[in-house]
Every structure is written in C-alpha cells, then in structure tokens.
Amino acid sequence: MEVLLETSERLTKFTTDSFRRGLYQKINWENRLIGIKGARGTGKTTLMLQRMKSLGKSSTEVAYFTLDDLYFTTHSLVETAAEFRRKGGKVLFLDEVHKYPNWATHLKNLYDLYPDLQLIFTGSSIVDISRQEVDLSRRVLMYELPGLSYREYLAFEGVVTIEVLPLPLLISENQAWKSFFPAGFKPLQHFEAYLSSGYYPFFREDKAGYRHRIQQLIRMIVEYDMAELKDFDIRNAKKMLQLLYVLAENVPFKPNLTELADKSGIHRNSVNNYLHYLEQAKLIKLLYRGGTGMVALQKPEKIYLENTNLAYALSLQKPDTGNLRETFFLNQVGYGHSVHESAVSDFLVEGVYTFEVGGKHKGKKQIEGIQKAYLVKDDIESGFGTTLPLWLFGFLY
C-alpha cells in the first residue's frame, strides 16, 4: 500500500487550485459516502484531488486510490481500505470505481463496517447506481460533473468570472441579467473557440492535438467503458462507432431506425438500445416530444451530439452552424432542466417555456401568440424583450 500512498501524495502536490468547477461548491463534502459521475475527460479526478488538497492532511489520513491500478488486480479493496483505516486513515478518495469487479458491494461493505471512514468515489457516466447488485441509493449522495459551461470556460481562461445565472433571471422581463456583466465584456470574442474546443478541460494541455484526443476519448468510451453495460456486447464496439459517425454526419437527426440499421450494420431491433447506450456515455443527446407516454420513451424525435466539441471532432469539415446553435442550447440548458422538442418550435423547457433558436436575422413568426416563448439569437451581444443572445445560456451552471 505504500506505493499507493506515495502516488497519492505526489498527485496532490501537483494539483493546482486556481480554478474550481461550479460543482465543487454544490457538493456536501461532509456526507459519509459521496459519488461523482461524468463522462471521460470532464475533470472528475481533478475535482477530487482539489478537495483532498484543501483538507491539508498527510497521505496517512487522506488518500487517493485509482481502482484501475494494477495493484487492485491482486489486492482486495476492502482489505486495502481496512489497512489504511488501521494506520490512521480517515478519508479515502476512490477513482474509476466501475473498473473494480462488484464495486458497489465493496463500497456498501466499507460503508457499513467503518462508520468513521469517509468514502468519496468517481465513476463513468454509464454507472447506474439503481442497477447495481446492492442498493447504494439510500447511502450515497450522487453528483454529476458535465463538461465546462461557457461561464466556466471563461473563468478557466482568466477572461471573466461571473456567478451562475439561473433560468428565471435570464428570461426575466427587465433582462436583469445584464447587470451581472462588467462594462466592456465582449461575450462573442471567445464563443467560437469554446464551441470548437472548450468543453473538455484538457483542451489546455494540447490545443493542437485536441481534436485527435477527443477521437481517442470516444474510442475509449465505446471500446472500454461500455464493457460495464450488462446488455452491451463489446464485440459490437466497431458497429457502435460506425453508428456514431453516421449520426455525426446528419445531426440533428430525425430517427429512421431502418436507415440507421442499414448504414451502421446494427440489427434494426437493436438500434434503439444502442442509441440509449450512446446517450448514457454522454456522446449523444436524445430529444423527445413533450409528454409522458410510452411512445415518447421508445423513439426520440431528434438526435444531437452531446456537445459542440464532438461535432468538430467528428466532422471532416466545419459543422453546420444551425446544428451547433441547437446543440449548444440543448447541452447547456439540459444539464439542469428538462428539455423536450416543442410541437411548434425548437425546444420546450420544463414543460412551460418555448425557445426558438436561430441566427441574428431570425424572426418570431414561429412563436407568435405563444405564451412564455423566447427567441434565442446567435451573433448578438445583448437582448431586448423576449429576444435573448445564445451565449447567455452558457451561464446556467
């Protein structure tokens, strides 16, 4: 275990604390069992290491273990954690728990056996606590970490730091949100850079190779992470990648299951399941018509890529501008709100608010006479009345 503790200490030492994700402040760090899930590359490990560093304790009291370490191929998690506790350990951060066999059972055992040991773990967005062999849902506080919002991206890059602006504020009649921005702030100056390469925090590490790294990330998710899905046959990983590329060339895609089956080589009866796997992996977003019927659960009205960076990484040429606008809106608003397809416009948010998304010359014809309807325009810095700038929705989290 000494090697694990040395690694833990080294990683903590080199962790920077100059920028923290918005989720950091929302987590109840005092809870005995905390889970953080999210897609690869969104910064879950950094978030944990920042918390660990803030505690200011030695590695004998607070430690970080990654469960895909070769050490755990021959050592039990429960026994390792027990030894850590016997030697004075109080807080244990566990990364990549989904890589450890029967991880939920082991966490439950640790939680029940050692009330004085706090456990904080991360897992893939594919992890579904409710479908594990044991019930952790009554014990764990689960959080989800998305990629950077436009607000977080600007703070990360040192451009401007603005607090989270809730949806009711953004759509308020007097547009009170304007008072939160400093004079001289140019919201469009960095917007295109964010759309192409600002969603995953690792963009800073290698801006030239960012697109290639996202492609590698996609392969890792499909060929490695999806093995954790009980109903997914890993032998179909190549077909899954093919399906994703077919979707990327046609987003927003109106599903025709037969056509998707023909182009991807996946049996028609399996296509719908594969779409849900891709959504669980945070690679696509399925948009349903507003309503609660079973039909809505079976077939989405439209399919989008999960974020705009994926559109750039998977496209051989610049992605369609209209698609980027809608993808950005759905991605940023969908993190904290329910979003469905509107029967008359683009999006219906929380079952109440209608949003039409377009360029700066877009008119209000489609939403005329509709209560609580808003026109969201790209390429404008400010808004007026029920017309709002697209970039503004990047400040919701």
Side-chain angles (χ1 to χ4, degrees):
M1 192 176 71
E2 287 71 20
V3 174
L4 293 179
L5 294 178
E6 287 175 10
T7 301
S8 173
E9 199 164 321
R10 184 176 68 255
L11 289 172
T12 308
K13 179 181 178 181
F14 289 104
T15 297
T16 59
D17 209 20
S18 56
F19 169 77
R20 287 180 177 176
R21 298 295 304 277
L23 182 63
Y24 188 99
Q25 304 302 330
K26 291 183 178 181
I27 294 175
N28 176 10
W29 292 109
E30 302 306 313
N31 201 63
R32 274 186 57 208
L33 183 59
I34 299 169
I36 304 166
K37 69 175 185 175
R40 276 183 178 268
T42 53
K44 301 183 296 297
T45 301
T46 299
L47 187 72
M48 277 207 315
L49 291 172
Q50 286 177 333
R51 172 59 183 174
M52 194 165 79
K53 189 168 188 173
S54 74
L55 295 175
K57 305 289 185 180
S58 70
S59 60
T60 56
E61 292 182 86
V62 179
Y64 163 91
F65 299 160
T66 179
L67 297 190
D68 61 357
D69 192 297
L70 289 175
Y71 178 91
F72 288 103
T73 60
T74 55
H75 294 79
S76 159
L77 170 60
V78 171
E79 292 174 2
T80 303
E83 182 185 351
F84 169 69
R85 175 182 166 275
R86 282 196 302 271
K87 293 181 177 179
K90 297 176 180 177
V91 185
L92 190 54
F93 292 83
L94 302 172
D95 208 358
E96 302 280 354
V97 294
H98 58 285
K99 294 303 174 189
Y100 191 83
N102 302 314
W103 62 270
T105 301
H106 289 270
L107 286 183
K108 177 185 178 296
N109 289 340
L110 287 172
Y111 180 90
D112 293 341
L113 288 170
Y114 308 118
D116 57 346
L117 180 65
Q118 185 187 28
L119 301 167
I120 301 168
F121 68 89
T122 71
S124 164
S125 58
I126 291 172
V127 169
D128 185 351
I129 292 294
S130 66
R131 296 188 65 185
Q132 300 307 312
E133 294 81 0
V134 298
D135 183 17
L136 280 179
S137 61
R138 292 180 291 108
R139 297 169 172 84
V140 66
L141 268 183
M142 283 299 301
Y143 298 89
E144 183 159 5
L145 183 67
L148 294 169
S149 67
Y150 185 44
R151 182 192 76 86
E152 291 178 309
Y153 170 79
L154 292 174
F156 192 33
E157 287 287 78
V159 177
V160 67
T161 300
I162 306 291
E163 63 184 271
V164 170
L165 305 180
L167 185 62
L169 176 66
L170 300 194
I171 60 177
S172 60
E173 291 185 8
N174 60 356
Q175 298 209 343
W177 54 266
K178 293 179 180 178
S179 64
F180 288 82
F181 295 92
F185 171 59
K186 297 184 181 300
L188 298 178
Q189 184 176 353
H190 305 276
F191 192 50
E192 189 170 345
Y194 169 79
L195 294 179
S196 64
S197 55
Y199 188 70
Y200 298 99
F202 58 75
F203 74 87
R204 269 192 168 183
E205 299 170 18
D206 180 15
K207 292 189 177 184
Y210 182 74
R211 181 174 181 268
H212 180 62
R213 186 161 174 184
I214 291 182
Q215 291 174 344
Q216 288 181 317
L217 178 143
I218 292 168
R219 296 193 76 92
M220 287 290 288
I221 291 172
V222 173
E223 297 175 350
Y224 189 56
D225 292 352
M226 283 191 175
E228 308 304 319
L229 291 168
K230 291 181 180 178
D231 301 325
F232 178 63
D233 186 345
I234 198 64
R235 291 174 297 180
N236 289 327
K238 185 175 181 181
K239 290 182 179 179
M240 181 73 92
L241 287 170
Q242 196 168 338
L243 174 61
L244 183 62
Y245 274 91
V246 169
L247 293 172
E249 291 172 359
N250 296 279
V251 286
F253 189 88
K254 291 200 171 186
N256 180 318
L257 299 186
T258 301
E259 182 182 345
L260 280 177
D262 290 342
K263 289 185 176 181
S264 65
I266 298 171
H267 193 280
R268 187 189 184 284
N269 294 341
S270 301
V271 169
N272 214 35
N273 287 338
Y274 277 55
L275 291 176
H276 286 285
Y277 296 152
L278 288 172
E279 185 175 48
Q280 282 181 264
K282 302 297 179 186
L283 292 175
I284 65 171
K285 180 69 176 175
L286 305 178
L287 187 69
Y288 296 93
R289 178 66 59 87
T292 56
M294 285 301 293
V295 174
L297 295 174
Q298 291 170 2
K299 183 183 175 184
E301 292 297 322
K302 285 184 181 179
I303 303 173
Y304 291 85
L305 291 175
E306 202 274 338
N307 63 78
T308 57
N309 287 193
L310 291 175
Y312 278 90
L314 293 170
S315 300
L316 297 176
Q317 52 197 9
K318 183 178 178 181
D320 176 73
T321 302
N323 166 51
L324 290 175
R325 291 166 180 157
E326 293 182 21
T327 300
F328 170 79
F329 182 91
L330 180 58
N331 171 263
Q332 302 285 284
V333 179
Y335 173 61
H337 301 275
S338 68
V339 184
H340 293 87
E341 185 191 48
S342 166
V344 294
S345 187
D346 289 325
F347 301 105
L348 182 67
V349 178
E350 298 293 355
V352 176
Y353 308 107
T354 298
F355 291 92
E356 177 71 17
V357 179
K360 62 181 177 181
H361 300 300
K362 182 77 173 182
K364 292 186 176 182
K365 186 176 180 179
Q366 279 184 267
I367 57 174
E368 279 182 3
I370 301 174
Q371 295 295 314
K372 297 182 179 178
Y374 304 87
L375 180 60
V376 180
K377 290 187 175 187
D378 192 10
D379 296 322
I380 63 171
E381 289 196 347
S382 189
F384 46 90
T386 55
T387 298
L388 299 165
L390 178 62
W391 60 264
L392 181 63
F393 290 87
F395 285 77
L396 287 168
Y397 72 85

